[in-house]
């Protein structure tokens, strides 16, 4: 499949002429990523992971587009786009389904803790075709499966560099690319990626940086 990285947390996958988009958020080139998509997977409700107006507009313009998201996100989208309600699907952890020709498995359930005084929201990690894993805002490691391509949240208000590295080590995927890097400047990016690349390699993971808009075959 072809994987295209957009700014921050958004990723677009293409296989057999069909397109699936993960987390088209407000930090990303959402309209570009959503163009021609058959399915959208949303990990959680935060705006940097779902640009609600862009997704609603895509649902209105493309009558074949299906969206899969945690209950709260799905309910909000149904309210915003009632004519598309039948195409907006609620996802629970531990489920399996098909979307745009991709086999999808869901993991997790909760967003990583930001602070005890900030409520924890639902978060779903998605594994596509037993290959690409997008964890959303969590470090939940998929059980019972060997991930081939790991999307690594590099930096967030809920994480520290040691946890990022331990997540990469824990999953031990052969290859990894970054997501959730929209809050880092060049200096911070260089430091965090240096740790991930050097320490991940000790456990068999080859880490590579993808520029926004860059595509790779996985």
């Amino acid at each position: 499949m072809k994987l295209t990285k957009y700014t921050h947390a958004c990723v677009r996958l293409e296989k057999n002429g069909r397109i699936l988009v993960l987390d088209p958020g407000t930090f990303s080139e959402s309209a570009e990523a959503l163009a021609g998509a058959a399915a959208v997977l949303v990990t959680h409700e935060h705006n940097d992971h779902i640009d609600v107006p862009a997704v609603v507009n895509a649902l209105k313009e493309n009558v074949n587009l299906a969206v899969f998201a945690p209950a709260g996100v799905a309910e909000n989208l149904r309210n915003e786009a009632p004519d598309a309600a039948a195409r907006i699907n609620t996802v629970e952890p531990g489920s399996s389904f098909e979307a745009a020709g991709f086999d999808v498995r869901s993991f997790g359930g909760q967003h990583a803790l930001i602070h005890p005084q900030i409520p924890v929201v639902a978060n779903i990690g998605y594994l596509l075709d037993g290959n690409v894993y997008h964890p959303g805002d969590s470090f939940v490691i998929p059980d019972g499966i060997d991930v081939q391509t790991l999307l690594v949240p590099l930096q967030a208000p809920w994480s520290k560099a040691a946890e990022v590295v331990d997540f990469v080590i824990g999953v031990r995927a052969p290859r990894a690319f970054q997501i959730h890097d929209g809050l880092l400047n060049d200096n911070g990016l260089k430091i965090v990626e240096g740790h991930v690349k050097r320490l991940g390699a000790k456990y068999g993971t080859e880490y590579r940086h993808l520029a926004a808009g860059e595509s790779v075959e996985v």
Side-chain angles (χ1 to χ4, degrees):
M1 71 182 78
K2 178 182 177 182
L3 182 153
T4 302
K5 161 99 165 66
Y6 289 91
T7 301
H8 199 56
C10 180
V11 173
R12 174 175 163 128
L13 301 176
E14 301 179 47
K15 184 185 72 170
N16 299 329
R18 304 189 73 188
I19 296 167
L20 181 148
V21 178
L22 294 130
D23 279 8
T26 56
F27 293 179
S28 307
E29 303 80 2
S30 299
E32 178 182 339
L34 289 165
V40 175
L41 306 185
V42 181
T43 61
H44 65 286
E45 65 188 50
H46 292 156
N47 289 341
D48 57 328
H49 292 259
I50 177 169
D51 182 339
V52 172
V55 173
V56 168
N57 186 62
L59 282 165
K60 292 178 179 178
E61 291 187 347
N62 181 358
V63 297
N64 296 313
L65 178 64
V67 177
F68 300 82
V73 178
E75 182 179 1
N76 182 50
L77 287 174
R78 292 186 195 107
N79 291 334
E80 294 291 331
D83 292 343
R87 294 183 279 125
I88 300 169
N89 305 276
T90 298
V91 181
E92 298 289 341
S95 60
S96 299
F97 56 95
E98 185 271 338
F102 291 83
D103 293 324
V104 184
R105 292 181 61 184
S106 63
F107 295 88
Q110 289 191 162
H111 189 288
L113 180 67
I114 300 172
H115 187 273
Q117 296 187 60
I118 298 176
V120 174
V121 301
N123 181 92
I124 301 291
Y126 296 102
L127 179 71
L128 290 305
D129 282 355
N131 181 350
V132 177
Y133 181 55
H134 191 309
D137 279 7
S138 79
F139 289 135
V140 170
I141 296 175
D143 56 282
I145 191 74
D146 292 326
V147 175
Q148 299 302 306
T149 305
L150 177 63
L151 302 177
V152 185
L154 274 192
Q155 191 277 337
W158 45 269
S159 73
K160 62 182 180 180
E163 295 171 332
V164 175
V165 171
D166 284 346
F167 177 62
V168 173
I169 290 173
V171 177
R172 299 197 183 192
R175 56 182 169 263
F177 307 105
Q178 93 283 3
I179 56 171
H180 221 282
D181 54 343
L183 301 181
L184 285 172
N185 62 21
D186 289 342
N187 291 329
L189 190 64
K190 184 182 298 183
I191 291 171
V192 178
E193 288 192 316
H195 293 320
V196 171
K197 185 172 185 177
R198 177 173 54 86
L199 296 174
K202 295 176 66 175
Y203 297 87
T205 298
E206 180 182 356
Y207 174 83
R208 175 183 164 190
H209 175 86
L210 293 180
E214 185 175 356
S215 300
V216 291
E217 293 290 332
V218 296

